[in-house]
Structures are given as C-alpha cells and as structure tokens.
Amino acid sequence: MRPVPYLGHGVGLRRPHWEALFATPQRVDFVELLVDNALGRGGRTRGVVERARDTWPTVLHGVALSIGGPDPLDLDYLDRVAELAHAAGARWYTDHLCWSSGFGVEYHDLIPLPATREAVERVVERVRTVQARLHLPFGLENPSVYVRYADDELSEAEFLRAVLEGADCGLLLDVNNVYVNSLNHGGDPREVIAALPLDRVMQIHLAGHERVGDVVIDTHGAPMVDPVLDLYAYTLARTGPVSTLIEWDNDLPPAEVLLAESDRARAVAAAVLGERPVPCPA
Amino acid sequence: MPRLAEVQSVMHQVLRDAVPVAEGAARLGVDPARLAIYHRFVHRHVQHALEANFPATLAALPPETRAALHAAYFAAHPPGTWSLDAAAAAFPAFLDARAGAEPPTPLHAALAHLEWALSEVYHDPAVLPVPETLTLNPTLTVLESVYPVAAYLVAAQAGGPPPQVPAALPAPTLTLVFRHPVRETACFFAATDALLFALKVAHDALDPLQVAAELGVDPNAALEAMRAGVACGLLLAPAATPTQRT
C-alpha cells in the first residue's frame, strides 16, 4: 500500500459551492473532487479543477469504476482518471467496493457485491490492474448496502479485510456507512470498525443519513448525527490522524453550514488526538 | 449457492426491468423491499439526468406524458457510459421519433435539441484560445428548426408557467449555441443577419469590409456586426481587443 499524507479536514467540492468555498474565510484543509462530475469536461468545470489544485490539496473520489463488475475494467476510464488526477494534482484516488455497471449498462449506483471469496478474487485482481495503471495511491470505500445476500460467506469486515490485504490497497473508511449498515442489518458498528485493517485507512468519510420507513438511507443530505461522531472518535483513537471529509450531496446547505460540519469533525479529532496535527501543505 | 456471475445477472435483470423485483429477490435470497431500493435508485438516476438536462422541455409536457416518457426512455436507452449526463444524450432523438400532434410534439423535440446543445457546449472540453485574429468560437453548434425555440426558451427561463406553444414558422430558423469565452456559461441566440454575417466572415477568415462592399452592406453595419459577434461571445477576439476578456 502506498503511503498517503495527512491532509486534515476537508469537504467535497460540489458545483453549488464552487464560488463560496473559494471565497470563504472558514478553514478548508483539502477538497475532494467527484471524478465522474469532472472527467472529460472543459470550461468552468476544468477551470475549477485547476483552481482547486492551486488552492488546496485535492483528492479524487469516483462512483463508476465498478471494481467488482462483470464487464472488463474500462481502461479508457482509468486513463481519463489519470489525466484528471494530473490536472487536479490529486494525492490519491478512491472508489467503492461494489459494482456499478454490467452487461454494457451503467447503473449510476453502488450495487452491493456478495461477500464471497469469489468476489474477493475478482476485486483483488482488478484493483491490482488499477494500481498498476494509475501510479497513484488507490483505496476502496466500504459502501452502505441495503441488501445482504443469503449466501454471503464473509462478514462486512472480513470481506473488506480480504480485499484490502489481497490487493494491498487503502481503505476509505466511511464511518457513516458502517453506522447505517449496523442500523439496517444489526450488529455493533464498533465491532465492525475494530475488525477492519485500520492500518490501511487512508481517508475517512462522514455524512448524514435519513430514515425512510423501516430503512436508513445514506442520503448525504443531512447533518451528521452524534452517534456517527462518537464512532468517528472511536475510530480515530485506533488509527491516529486520518484525513477526514464531509460528504453532502443532496439538499445542499450553504457552504458555511457544510464547513461548520467539518469544524465539528475537527473538534472531535482534536479531542481524541490531544493536539491538532499539522496538515500537509498544498 | 449462486455464483457471482449469476448474482450479477439476476440483479441486472431486476434493475433493467427484465425480472420483477419479487422474483429477483427470491432468486437472490434478499428482502424484496430492500432490493426495490436499488431498482428505484437506478430508475431515478436516469430521471434526474433528464430533469437536469431538459428542464424546459419536461416542464412543457403534461405530467402524465413526462412519466410515460421517463419509463419508455429508461427501457429504450440503457446508459452506456460513466457520465450520468450522457444517460440523457439520446433524449432529443427519442422525442424526434415520437413527435406527433399530441405531446411530445415536434416543438418539444426541437426544444430538447436546444437544451442538450446547451449542456454539451457548457461541458465541451475545447480550450478557448486567445487568437491572433478574430476567430469563430470553437464550441459553436448551429441548430435549425421551424419553431422559434430560442425565444421559447428565453420565455421559459423567465419563470412562471410554461409559455404558450408557438406555431411553426414558414421557414426554418437557426439558433446559435456556444460557451461564452469569459463567463463560461452556455449561451444561445436566434441567428440574426448580423450574427450570421459575423459567423461567415470569421469562419472563412474574410475581410468584413470587403465582404460588405461585395454585398452592398453599409461598412459601419458590417463592423458593428463583428463587434456584436465579439460582445456576445460568438467570436473570439485577440487579447488586445477591449470588447472581450475584460
């Protein structure tokens, strides 16, 4: 696994916040660019990517890699990601442990993989291809999943560990997803966190979620709840400083609200870690 | 135990409506209500792509027609690339094929072509140069329609209820669509004689005064047409030209 620098506390750079984030007096340590909203685009989008590169440390996050999908890896997509990473000066690239396309069709969603050894083998081989092609630190995020297959062989943590160690890649640990999965499927989220290969955590995601009927949906459309911040503190106590990013993609609030959420996470980190580590400079 | 390939095949069939959710859930051994979440999400992504790229076109359609078109489009045009916006790319041609006396009409299709052109020029990867001479904006797309779609879209973007559907014109008109070189917004203009003059002169690298003389056009009007072309972003001017890049 390639080492990554500590970047502090950041936010996703979403289009409605472009101008506000560049102008804000509030603290932004780094930003995350959504690969699939920037890939191959010129004009203002490209200008914002380059301006972000010149303003903050940046990282790339995608949803369309389909690392566990049935179709061959899209090498053209990977080459475009590499070009974007270069233009953005990105420190690393992450996507999700799932599949998002198959049989020639894009779903534009994160479809869960069965937690089986066969799926582990498929993903490990493909992550190696990604890492060899990109020459950039690469990590997989634990997704929120709403179905668990009856024939799953591995627990959530076992599945993640097998993939990450088999492929020797990093973990983008979405603490909210661990919490949401525990609400939807039962189990103790702290046990899941404790069972993960925490030395591989390269970044943390935090976000809000919403209950819809009897299921909790990872909407990225609400403030973080305290139990997620408690779980974040529990995680940091075991990992030490990890670059942490607030995701907010739906019902976007004003940028100052988003940044206040980042400040909440920063305060938790300061409380757990004693003193604030100095982020890597841009 | 289903192998990975079988799980993915069944899931794909559920997501693409080839197998009902309940049947797919039974074959996968999952809760049908939870599987329905993914089915709903995948459909909604395409619907959102249409809503994001064709707000005026969809607003001009009756709600029941919108819903039917969403469903038919989802079935007919499975998204083929990672870009969610690209999932909407086939919608104008899809409307062309269905346009008739009842909605969607040819006007809706023409409006969709204009809205899609706006999306494309906004994202066009072309880097707009600062040229040495007056140059045509490389993101320019020219649309032809017998409906005054530019005027309709201006009215629609002004807010309020959808504007009244205009009648077809006796002859096709042109709409010029391009990304503004400074503001980087997508612009559209009904083609006027002046803008078409500027377009022709810049495209063929001609001398505007010479063309004006040959056509019997007032030279001041010719120069004004060129200035208007630069001011609206249709033409890219050298850096020293004060009407642009200020």
Side-chain angles (χ1 to χ4, degrees), chain A residues 15-202:
Chain A
R15 185 169 163 178
H17 289 153
W18 280 353
E19 293 309 318
L21 286 180
F22 283 115
T24 185
Q26 292 173 267
R27 184 172 167 186
V28 180
D29 296 336
F30 75 106
V31 296
E32 184 182 80
L33 306 171
L34 280 182
V35 168
D36 309 288
N37 287 352
L39 222 51
R41 289 184 170 178
R44 191 146 178 251
T45 304
R46 184 64 167 209
V48 165
V49 166
E50 293 169 355
R51 192 174 169 197
R53 172 198 63 203
D54 297 337
T55 306
W56 306 287
T58 67
V59 300
L60 295 186
H61 185 53
V63 296
L65 181 58
S66 201
I67 196 69
D71 296 344
L73 270 177
D74 185 343
L75 300 182
D76 176 62
Y77 176 80
L78 283 177
D79 290 344
R80 288 167 180 256
V81 171
E83 191 280 328
L84 178 64
H86 178 73
R91 308 304 176 91
W92 60 76
Y93 163 55
T94 57
D95 204 295
H96 300 78
L97 179 54
C98 70
W99 60 300
S100 55
S101 60
F103 311 96
V105 176
E106 293 279 341
Y107 310 122
H108 300 293
D109 212 292
L110 310 176
I111 311 301
L113 286 163
T116 61
R117 291 179 182 84
E118 183 189 10
V120 170
E121 284 179 21
R122 159 80 59 80
V123 173
V124 163
E125 178 192 343
R126 289 157 68 98
V127 170
R128 288 182 181 145
T129 300
V130 170
Q131 295 190 123
R133 198 160 183 105
L134 286 187
H135 304 292
L136 193 69
F138 174 72
L140 287 172
E141 175 179 340
N142 56 304
S144 51
V145 297
Y146 305 108
V147 295
R148 288 261 167 88
Y149 300 100
D151 297 314
D152 281 355
E153 299 168 326
L154 306 169
S155 70
E156 179 180 4
E158 288 169 340
F159 186 46
L160 281 159
R161 177 181 287 278
V163 166
L164 301 173
E165 293 182 345
D168 191 23
C169 71
L171 171 62
L172 167 49
L173 176 55
D174 191 315
V175 172
N176 180 61
N177 287 350
V178 173
Y179 183 72
V180 165
N181 287 343
S182 75
L183 293 178
N184 286 328
H185 303 289
D188 182 345
R190 292 187 177 214
E191 287 183 8
V192 174
I193 297 278
L196 292 171
L198 295 177
D199 57 327
R200 292 186 177 276
V201 179
M202 59 195 291

